Amino acid sequence: MKQNKLKAASEELKKLRKPVYNVNAVHKESLSALEKIAVKVTDSVGSVGFFLIIFGWTFLWLGWNTIAPFKLRFDPFPAFVLWLFISNMIQIFLMPLIMIGQNLQGRHAEKRAESDFDVNVRAEKEIEVILLHLEQQNELILKILDHMEKVDVKKKTKTKTK
C-alpha cells in the first residue's frame, strides 16, 4: 500500500518538474526601451543621490536669489517664480515615469512571487516523497530487525537443547 503511494507521489513529482528559469532575466528581456528608461528613472529618482542633488540645487538657487547682490539675482525673493516653474516641470515629467516604473517593478515582484510559490510547491512535494521513502525504509529495517531477532532466538534455543 505504501509502495503504491510512494510511486504515485513520485509520478506526481515528475509531472511537476519544469525547467528552471531566471525570472529576473525573463522580466528584463520583456521590457521595451521606454519601459527600461522608466525603471532606470524610478531607480535613480528614488535614491539618496537624487535627493541630495535636488536639495543642493534648491539650497543654492534660493540662497543665491536671497543673499546675492540685487543686480545678480535672476529669480528674486520672495516669489522665486522661475524656481517654482522649473520644480513643477520636473515633478510633472517625473511623476508619470515614476508611476510606470513602479507598475513595472510591481509586475516583476508578482512574477518573482509566483516563481517562489512554484518552487515551494515542488519542494513540498519532494519532501513528501522523501518522507514516504524514509517511512518505507524504516518499515523494511524493522522487518529485517524482527527477522534477525527471530533467527537469533532460534539459534539460542538450538544451542540450549544440545
Side-chain angles (χ1 to χ4, degrees):
M1 176 86 175
K2 288 212 177 200
Q3 196 160 7
N4 290 339
K5 192 174 181 181
L6 180 62
K7 285 182 182 179
S10 181
E11 291 299 320
E12 185 180 348
L13 187 61
K14 286 179 184 176
K15 290 177 187 175
L16 282 176
R17 285 203 178 119
K18 298 175 190 173
V20 178
Y21 64 96
N22 185 349
V23 176
N24 298 326
V26 171
H27 175 73
K28 198 176 254 189
E29 291 171 4
S30 71
L31 296 177
S32 69
L34 289 175
E35 290 174 333
K36 288 178 184 177
I37 291 170
V39 169
K40 285 184 180 181
V41 167
T42 300
D43 288 342
S44 62
V45 168
S47 69
V48 174
F50 185 79
F51 170 77
L52 292 175
I53 289 170
I54 293 295
F55 181 77
W57 171 71
T58 300
F59 184 77
L60 289 173
W61 186 291
L62 298 179
W64 177 262
N65 287 300
T66 303
I67 299 171
F70 194 75
K71 289 184 178 182
L72 297 176
R73 296 179 191 177
F74 53 89
D75 192 19
F77 174 82
F80 302 117
V81 176
L82 187 57
W83 176 78
L84 286 171
F85 174 75
I86 293 172
S87 296
N88 286 335
M89 293 305 294
I90 290 172
Q91 292 172 17
I92 288 169
F93 288 124
L94 285 180
M95 192 180 315
L97 277 176
I98 291 169
M99 291 171 65
I100 291 167
Q102 287 176 338
N103 288 339
L104 293 170
Q105 289 171 338
R107 279 195 314 203
H108 184 209
E110 283 285 325
K111 288 179 183 176
R112 282 194 322 251
E114 288 174 13
S115 176
D116 288 346
F117 179 75
D118 288 343
V119 168
N120 290 341
V121 167
R122 280 190 262 167
E124 187 175 329
K125 291 292 181 184
E126 289 173 355
I127 290 168
E128 184 180 334
V129 169
I130 290 168
L131 288 174
L132 286 171
H133 187 70
L134 286 173
E135 286 177 14
Q136 186 180 12
Q137 284 181 348
N138 195 30
E139 287 176 9
L140 289 173
I141 289 171
L142 290 174
K143 285 180 184 178
I144 292 169
L145 286 172
D146 189 42
H147 179 71
M148 289 175 67
E149 285 176 357
K150 287 178 183 177
V151 169
D152 196 33
V153 168
K154 284 181 182 179
K155 284 183 183 179
K156 285 182 181 179
T157 55
K158 281 185 183 180
T159 56
K160 284 184 182 180
T161 57
K162 286 186 183 181

